[in-house]
Amino acid sequence: MNIENEIMANFDEISDANSVAIIGMSGRFPGAQDVEKFWKNLKEGVESIHFFEDEELIKAGVNPEFLGNPNYVKAATVVKDIDLFDANFFGFTPREAELTDPQHRLLLECAWEAIELAGYDTQTYPGKIGIFAGASVNAYLLFNLLPNIDRAEQGDVLATLMQNQHDFLATRISYELNLRGPSVNVQTACSTSLVAVHLACQSLLTGESDIVLAGGSAINVPHEAGYFYQKDSILSPDGHCRAFDASAQGTIDGNGVSVVVLKRLENAIADRDHIYAVIKGSAINNDGSVKVGYTAPSVDGQMDAIAEAIAMADIEPETISYIETHGTGTALGDPIEIKALTNVFQQYTDKTGFCAIGSVKTNVGHMDAASGVTSLIKASLALKHQLLPPSLHYEQPNPEIDFENSPFFVNTQLTPWPAQDTPRRAGVSSFGIGGTNVHLVIEEPPTLVSAPPSSRPHQLILLSAKSAPALDAMTQNLADYLQAHPQANLSDIAYTLQVGRTRFEHRRCLVCDTVEKTVQRLEKPSAQHLITHYAEAGEPGVVFMFPGQGSQYVNMARDLYHTESGFRDTVDSCAQLLQPTLNLDIRTILYPSSEETPDTAAQQLKQTAMAQPALFVIEYALAKQWMEWGIMPEAMIGHSLGEYVAACLSGVISLEDALRIVAVRARLMQQQPAGSMVAVSMPHQELEPMLDDALSLAAINTPDLCVVSGPTEAIEQLIALLEQQGTDATRLHTSHAFHSAMMDPVVDALVAQLQAVELQPPTIPFISTVTGTWITDADATSPQYWANHLRRTVRFSEGISTVLQKSKQVFLEVGPGRTLSTLTKRHAAASDKTVLTSLHPPKEYQPDVSFLLNTLGQLWATGVSIDWSAFHGAEQHNRLPLPTYPFERQRYWIEAQVGSMSDNGAESKSVSMPKPLHARPLLKSDYAAPSSEMEKELVDIWQNLLGIQQIGIYDNFFELGGHSLLATQLLAKVTKVFLVELSLQQLIDAPTIAEFAIVIQQALLEAMEKMSEADAQKLLAKLA
């Protein structure tokens, strides 16, 4: 096979390898606050141009003299709420938010939404995510900010520029979203955002990035105002854009923001992403100087870009059935664009009238730096929905355009997009003033095969937000989504929320098996089903607790055995290892078949020889399941037999040896004479003097609950005595007197068994319930310790009290029932701890999977990290575009100054407006008023710098949103006011006003000591 044939044979593989998937999109558009509403408007042929009444314009500050001018067009595209922003969500101080270009703010919010809609969490995604983006002219800086800046404060100028320069647009988003790929600002005028898409594709295809955001932002200020028409300019005389029409005279400035999320197609398919469209090829170039003028378009330049993009896509032009054009509706630009397209297509085909064209500018105006991606979003949605939206205001062709002899026609109504022999394909063009041209070829997304049904009958739904109101809004938004999508796959929804959302402090979870139930529980939350928790900063440590004999029951964790492969594999391995010692398969007792009655298995499971190995297997398998899901214990405690599970998990004893020793131990214990045990509600200090030589203190479970063990006759006598005293005493259902002198004959035999076992120091700390404190390496590796263990008092209360001394813990009972959970909660130190269980008690049946997922959700809600990849294992799930974060947006806006003219025509001097202060945020510190003049002065400095009112003297500068740049400004202002120079480290060490005032006072004293008395007096006078 020659080289040419080899290349052709591998063409399909190469084509897919060079394709890029659009997996997320977001935007703010005139008349549409999101992409869904934008698409609805496009389908319905809505022109989102606002035509103002005079009263509206006057209220917005427009000069009344303009209104009578026949060239003043009272129209604009309006994006709702450009003055609003969720500063707290992104860690902006109120002052920073006010000083930030709204183009930056809106693009930041849309970038967050787009990546969430794609189903990815930038905090945990292991690959590199990049961003290419640009913005239009920053009119907010020119008209609103610069006139209000105190130019004497150099820090104000620098800070303002940092929040407004295009140089910091992409990098600020990378900082806020934790994007570690390339972060590049793109500026090519009208073609900016589509050039950003092209560059993003190159970054993906070269392996520089794994995911890339690309977009643009264009927000005009003043926002609600008309414009002056100039003949032969790009702006139309009536506020309408009539692309390709004979009466076209230009477009109208558009406002908006648009962002797409891109990924290599092969990776998007493998990761089961939601794909809107596929970019098959793209190209950019520049016209150069061979054209009428710098701002004029060029047929040759556009032709070359279009032809190169089609060549890169390696398709035939006649397979393209729609072009989303640049389409500005200018007398010069429209004919040039169609001529360029026609020249390219007619190099390959002489067919006519087969390719529809349209221009989104007829709907929303020319969105400048955001226009290219807005066009791409329109074309992608058209492919996704297989519909061609109408291009507006077209009646008859521009006389310079020969549509009849071209492949093209203007699509003027909503039209089904018919299938062809090839996938539906479209072209998207964007041409910038200055000559930078870009063209993309895109096609409809591949059909994604549905994922196999989840093995889990129940699903865990997770939600988190930065505030309680936002969490409530998020809960309602999800309920609304599910009501609108009743056929949605619940496992896909759960998966997307688990892996595709950043985690915040306010958390909520629920477990459900149907969409209908999920909606019901979301809309009518109850403590039983919908768990809400505040996860403080820092991950809590998890303490595993392993119960002892008495908690077992037939079919414990049976659902898990059939559903969770990891759990099943561990149980199967343990059963095989136990078989030589037990001479039976423990699974026949744990999970009796229909031929074996549960009653028979229950009787067997009551026997110590079977109960203890069975409990060990279930507890060990549960622990391994939790650990597989990323929940690693920082400490462990086991009650009697349970300590063997802790030792095995900690590496003290191998699994094979542990199972054999537990089985031998259990058999030896069962061979001893029968005895009894009783639980007594009494402190052990009061109980022990009442015990004779026949009785033993078997366990101290809580400060006022103990267990006594011994011969049945002696136990009955003790119970009678306790009843006479009015003390509660409960007989336990046991066959033997564990942890009593009746177990002494077992000790030596067990030592002999243990001496043949290699014991290692523990790798995970666990409690010795023999000593009531952390086990030592010496005890852990001593055969005598483990033999004595079955004889000595179980000091659970002392042990759990030792563990409870640590802060930020979650206690997890790893075994059947809630015995240890109940005992732990009876300790005063556990009052503020979260205590959870893994399996339901025997008499309170719940589906095991539902029960375990509920516990998993509660662990997550307290702040415990979960390995969701391991949790889902080999199961496949689709990422879905679910509702995004409900931003709590507030107004952050510096009003523009209206310049006035004096009688002689000179502009009057502008006076800076007072800077608004915003409400004090929720802080750990309570408000405390200043008590000295210095503290009052510092409060004033902090409040003006941060834009926050009622700052208290114990509020932390950095908790208020301060950072290094703001700290530099703060220190400069302190130097100006108090005439001392302080360092950033001093502020870090003294971050409250009360502390910082002391630092200033000390610095002043030190400075005055070095001065003459006269200079010191001068300093005091200045300070006064």
Side-chain angles (χ1 to χ4, degrees), residues 244 287 291-292 295-303 306 330-343 398 400-401 431 437:
F244 311 112
D287 296 334
K291 57 181 181 177
V292 175
T295 61
S298 162
V299 171
D300 291 342
Q302 292 182 20
M303 279 180 55
I306 295 166
T330 59
L332 177 65
D334 285 359
I336 286 177
E337 182 169 6
I338 299 304
K339 184 176 181 181
L341 282 166
T342 301
N343 288 350
N398 183 315
E400 298 299 319
I401 300 176
F431 310 128
N437 308 303

Short mmCIF file of all heavy atoms in Angstrom, two decimals, residues 244 287 291-292 295-303 306 330-343 398 400-401 431 437:
data_model
loop_
_atom_site.label_atom_id
_atom_site.label_comp_id
_atom_site.label_asym_id
_atom_site.label_seq_id
_atom_site.Cartn_x
_atom_site.Cartn_y
_atom_site.Cartn_z
N PHE A 244 -28.43 41.15 4.30
CA PHE A 244 -28.58 40.68 2.91
C PHE A 244 -29.80 41.24 2.20
O PHE A 244 -30.07 40.87 1.06
CB PHE A 244 -28.59 39.14 2.86
CG PHE A 244 -27.46 38.52 3.63
CD1 PHE A 244 -27.71 37.80 4.79
CD2 PHE A 244 -26.15 38.68 3.21
CE1 PHE A 244 -26.66 37.25 5.51
CE2 PHE A 244 -25.10 38.13 3.92
CZ PHE A 244 -25.35 37.41 5.07
N ASP A 287 -6.60 40.06 6.09
CA ASP A 287 -6.71 40.57 4.73
C ASP A 287 -5.40 41.15 4.19
O ASP A 287 -5.18 41.18 2.97
CB ASP A 287 -7.78 41.68 4.66
CG ASP A 287 -9.17 41.16 4.98
OD1 ASP A 287 -9.42 39.96 4.79
OD2 ASP A 287 -10.00 41.97 5.43
N LYS A 291 -6.77 45.93 -0.13
CA LYS A 291 -8.21 46.19 -0.05
C LYS A 291 -8.40 47.70 0.00
O LYS A 291 -7.44 48.47 0.10
CB LYS A 291 -8.82 45.51 1.16
CG LYS A 291 -8.21 45.88 2.51
CD LYS A 291 -8.91 45.11 3.64
CE LYS A 291 -8.33 45.47 5.01
NZ LYS A 291 -9.04 44.79 6.09
N VAL A 292 -9.64 48.12 -0.03
CA VAL A 292 -9.95 49.54 -0.13
C VAL A 292 -9.38 50.34 1.03
O VAL A 292 -8.83 51.43 0.86
CB VAL A 292 -11.48 49.74 -0.23
CG1 VAL A 292 -11.83 51.22 -0.21
CG2 VAL A 292 -12.01 49.08 -1.50
N THR A 295 -10.45 49.43 7.41
CA THR A 295 -11.67 48.91 8.00
C THR A 295 -12.53 48.14 7.01
O THR A 295 -13.55 47.56 7.40
CB THR A 295 -12.52 50.06 8.59
OG1 THR A 295 -12.89 50.95 7.54
CG2 THR A 295 -11.75 50.82 9.65
N ALA A 296 -12.16 48.10 5.74
CA ALA A 296 -12.98 47.45 4.73
C ALA A 296 -12.76 45.94 4.74
O ALA A 296 -11.66 45.46 5.04
CB ALA A 296 -12.65 48.01 3.35
N PRO A 297 -13.78 45.15 4.37
CA PRO A 297 -13.61 43.70 4.23
C PRO A 297 -12.95 43.36 2.90
O PRO A 297 -12.87 44.20 2.00
CB PRO A 297 -15.04 43.18 4.29
CG PRO A 297 -15.87 44.30 3.76
CD PRO A 297 -15.18 45.57 4.18
N SER A 298 -12.50 42.12 2.80
CA SER A 298 -11.80 41.68 1.59
C SER A 298 -12.35 40.34 1.13
O SER A 298 -12.43 39.39 1.93
CB SER A 298 -10.30 41.55 1.86
OG SER A 298 -9.66 40.77 0.89
N VAL A 299 -12.72 40.25 -0.13
CA VAL A 299 -13.20 38.98 -0.67
C VAL A 299 -12.11 37.92 -0.57
O VAL A 299 -12.35 36.79 -0.13
CB VAL A 299 -13.65 39.15 -2.14
CG1 VAL A 299 -13.95 37.78 -2.76
CG2 VAL A 299 -14.86 40.05 -2.22
N ASP A 300 -10.91 38.26 -0.97
CA ASP A 300 -9.83 37.28 -0.99
C ASP A 300 -9.51 36.76 0.41
O ASP A 300 -9.30 35.55 0.61
CB ASP A 300 -8.57 37.88 -1.62
CG ASP A 300 -8.74 38.13 -3.11
OD1 ASP A 300 -9.66 37.52 -3.70
OD2 ASP A 300 -7.97 38.93 -3.67
N GLY A 301 -9.45 37.67 1.39
CA GLY A 301 -9.14 37.24 2.75
C GLY A 301 -10.20 36.31 3.31
O GLY A 301 -9.89 35.26 3.92
N GLN A 302 -11.46 36.65 3.09
CA GLN A 302 -12.55 35.80 3.58
C GLN A 302 -12.55 34.46 2.85
O GLN A 302 -12.75 33.40 3.46
CB GLN A 302 -13.89 36.51 3.42
CG GLN A 302 -14.04 37.73 4.33
CD GLN A 302 -15.39 38.40 4.19
OE1 GLN A 302 -16.35 37.79 3.70
NE2 GLN A 302 -15.48 39.66 4.61
N MET A 303 -12.33 34.50 1.56
CA MET A 303 -12.27 33.25 0.78
C MET A 303 -11.20 32.31 1.33
O MET A 303 -11.46 31.12 1.53
CB MET A 303 -11.93 33.56 -0.68
CG MET A 303 -13.09 34.00 -1.53
SD MET A 303 -12.52 34.35 -3.23
CE MET A 303 -11.72 32.80 -3.64
N ILE A 306 -12.25 30.74 4.71
CA ILE A 306 -13.33 29.76 4.54
C ILE A 306 -12.79 28.49 3.89
O ILE A 306 -13.07 27.37 4.34
CB ILE A 306 -14.48 30.36 3.71
CG1 ILE A 306 -15.13 31.52 4.48
CG2 ILE A 306 -15.52 29.29 3.37
CD1 ILE A 306 -16.03 32.39 3.62
N THR A 330 -24.59 45.55 6.08
CA THR A 330 -24.04 46.75 5.44
C THR A 330 -24.03 46.56 3.92
O THR A 330 -23.88 45.44 3.42
CB THR A 330 -22.61 47.04 5.93
OG1 THR A 330 -21.78 45.92 5.63
CG2 THR A 330 -22.60 47.29 7.42
N ALA A 331 -24.18 47.66 3.24
CA ALA A 331 -24.26 47.60 1.77
C ALA A 331 -23.01 47.03 1.15
O ALA A 331 -23.05 46.36 0.12
CB ALA A 331 -24.54 49.01 1.22
N LEU A 332 -21.85 47.28 1.77
CA LEU A 332 -20.57 46.80 1.24
C LEU A 332 -20.25 45.40 1.75
O LEU A 332 -19.84 44.53 0.99
CB LEU A 332 -19.46 47.77 1.62
CG LEU A 332 -18.03 47.39 1.20
CD1 LEU A 332 -17.93 47.37 -0.33
CD2 LEU A 332 -17.02 48.36 1.79
N GLY A 333 -20.47 45.17 3.05
CA GLY A 333 -20.02 43.92 3.66
C GLY A 333 -20.81 42.71 3.23
O GLY A 333 -20.23 41.63 2.99
N ASP A 334 -22.14 42.81 3.12
CA ASP A 334 -22.95 41.64 2.78
C ASP A 334 -22.60 41.06 1.41
O ASP A 334 -22.39 39.85 1.28
CB ASP A 334 -24.44 41.99 2.83
CG ASP A 334 -24.97 42.11 4.26
OD1 ASP A 334 -24.17 41.89 5.20
OD2 ASP A 334 -26.16 42.42 4.44
N PRO A 335 -22.52 41.87 0.35
CA PRO A 335 -22.17 41.31 -0.97
C PRO A 335 -20.79 40.66 -0.97
O PRO A 335 -20.59 39.63 -1.62
CB PRO A 335 -22.22 42.52 -1.91
CG PRO A 335 -23.16 43.47 -1.24
CD PRO A 335 -22.90 43.30 0.23
N ILE A 336 -19.83 41.28 -0.26
CA ILE A 336 -18.48 40.71 -0.22
C ILE A 336 -18.51 39.34 0.45
O ILE A 336 -17.87 38.38 0.00
CB ILE A 336 -17.51 41.67 0.51
CG1 ILE A 336 -17.19 42.86 -0.39
CG2 ILE A 336 -16.25 40.95 0.96
CD1 ILE A 336 -16.32 43.91 0.25
N GLU A 337 -19.27 39.22 1.53
CA GLU A 337 -19.33 37.95 2.25
C GLU A 337 -19.93 36.85 1.38
O GLU A 337 -19.39 35.72 1.31
CB GLU A 337 -20.13 38.10 3.54
CG GLU A 337 -20.19 36.81 4.36
CD GLU A 337 -20.74 36.99 5.75
OE1 GLU A 337 -21.20 38.10 6.10
OE2 GLU A 337 -20.70 36.00 6.52
N ILE A 338 -21.03 37.15 0.69
CA ILE A 338 -21.66 36.12 -0.14
C ILE A 338 -20.77 35.79 -1.35
O ILE A 338 -20.69 34.62 -1.77
CB ILE A 338 -23.05 36.58 -0.62
CG1 ILE A 338 -23.95 36.81 0.59
CG2 ILE A 338 -23.68 35.54 -1.55
CD1 ILE A 338 -24.09 35.61 1.51
N LYS A 339 -20.10 36.78 -1.88
CA LYS A 339 -19.19 36.52 -3.01
C LYS A 339 -18.06 35.59 -2.58
O LYS A 339 -17.70 34.65 -3.30
CB LYS A 339 -18.63 37.83 -3.55
CG LYS A 339 -17.75 37.64 -4.80
CD LYS A 339 -17.29 38.98 -5.37
CE LYS A 339 -16.45 38.77 -6.63
NZ LYS A 339 -15.98 40.05 -7.20
N ALA A 340 -17.50 35.85 -1.40
CA ALA A 340 -16.42 35.00 -0.90
C ALA A 340 -16.90 33.56 -0.70
O ALA A 340 -16.23 32.59 -1.10
CB ALA A 340 -15.86 35.58 0.41
N LEU A 341 -18.06 33.40 -0.07
CA LEU A 341 -18.61 32.07 0.14
C LEU A 341 -18.87 31.37 -1.20
O LEU A 341 -18.54 30.19 -1.39
CB LEU A 341 -19.91 32.16 0.95
CG LEU A 341 -19.78 32.39 2.46
CD1 LEU A 341 -21.12 32.81 3.05
CD2 LEU A 341 -19.27 31.11 3.14
N THR A 342 -19.49 32.11 -2.12
CA THR A 342 -19.84 31.52 -3.41
C THR A 342 -18.59 31.07 -4.16
O THR A 342 -18.55 29.97 -4.74
CB THR A 342 -20.64 32.53 -4.25
OG1 THR A 342 -21.84 32.88 -3.54
CG2 THR A 342 -21.01 31.94 -5.61
N ASN A 343 -17.57 31.91 -4.16
CA ASN A 343 -16.33 31.56 -4.88
C ASN A 343 -15.73 30.27 -4.33
O ASN A 343 -15.22 29.43 -5.09
CB ASN A 343 -15.32 32.69 -4.77
CG ASN A 343 -15.71 33.89 -5.61
OD1 ASN A 343 -16.63 33.82 -6.42
ND2 ASN A 343 -15.02 35.02 -5.41
N ASN A 398 -30.18 42.13 -1.57
CA ASN A 398 -29.31 43.24 -1.94
C ASN A 398 -29.00 43.10 -3.43
O ASN A 398 -28.61 42.03 -3.90
CB ASN A 398 -28.02 43.14 -1.10
CG ASN A 398 -27.06 44.29 -1.35
OD1 ASN A 398 -26.81 44.67 -2.49
ND2 ASN A 398 -26.51 44.81 -0.27
N GLU A 400 -26.63 43.75 -5.14
CA GLU A 400 -25.26 43.35 -5.44
C GLU A 400 -25.02 41.87 -5.16
O GLU A 400 -23.91 41.37 -5.34
CB GLU A 400 -24.27 44.19 -4.62
CG GLU A 400 -24.33 45.69 -4.91
CD GLU A 400 -23.99 45.99 -6.36
OE1 GLU A 400 -23.05 45.35 -6.89
OE2 GLU A 400 -24.68 46.83 -6.97
N ILE A 401 -26.05 41.18 -4.69
CA ILE A 401 -25.91 39.75 -4.36
C ILE A 401 -26.71 38.92 -5.35
O ILE A 401 -27.93 39.12 -5.51
CB ILE A 401 -26.39 39.46 -2.92
CG1 ILE A 401 -25.59 40.26 -1.90
CG2 ILE A 401 -26.27 37.95 -2.62
CD1 ILE A 401 -26.08 40.09 -0.47
N PHE A 431 -15.76 38.15 11.00
CA PHE A 431 -14.73 38.97 10.36
C PHE A 431 -14.55 40.25 11.15
O PHE A 431 -15.51 41.00 11.38
CB PHE A 431 -15.13 39.30 8.91
CG PHE A 431 -15.54 38.09 8.11
CD1 PHE A 431 -16.75 38.06 7.43
CD2 PHE A 431 -14.73 36.96 8.06
CE1 PHE A 431 -17.14 36.95 6.70
CE2 PHE A 431 -15.10 35.84 7.34
CZ PHE A 431 -16.32 35.83 6.66
N ASN A 437 -9.93 37.42 9.86
CA ASN A 437 -11.08 36.60 9.48
C ASN A 437 -10.97 35.22 10.14
O ASN A 437 -9.87 34.66 10.25
CB ASN A 437 -11.10 36.40 7.96
CG ASN A 437 -11.02 37.72 7.22
OD1 ASN A 437 -11.85 38.60 7.42
ND2 ASN A 437 -10.00 37.86 6.35
#
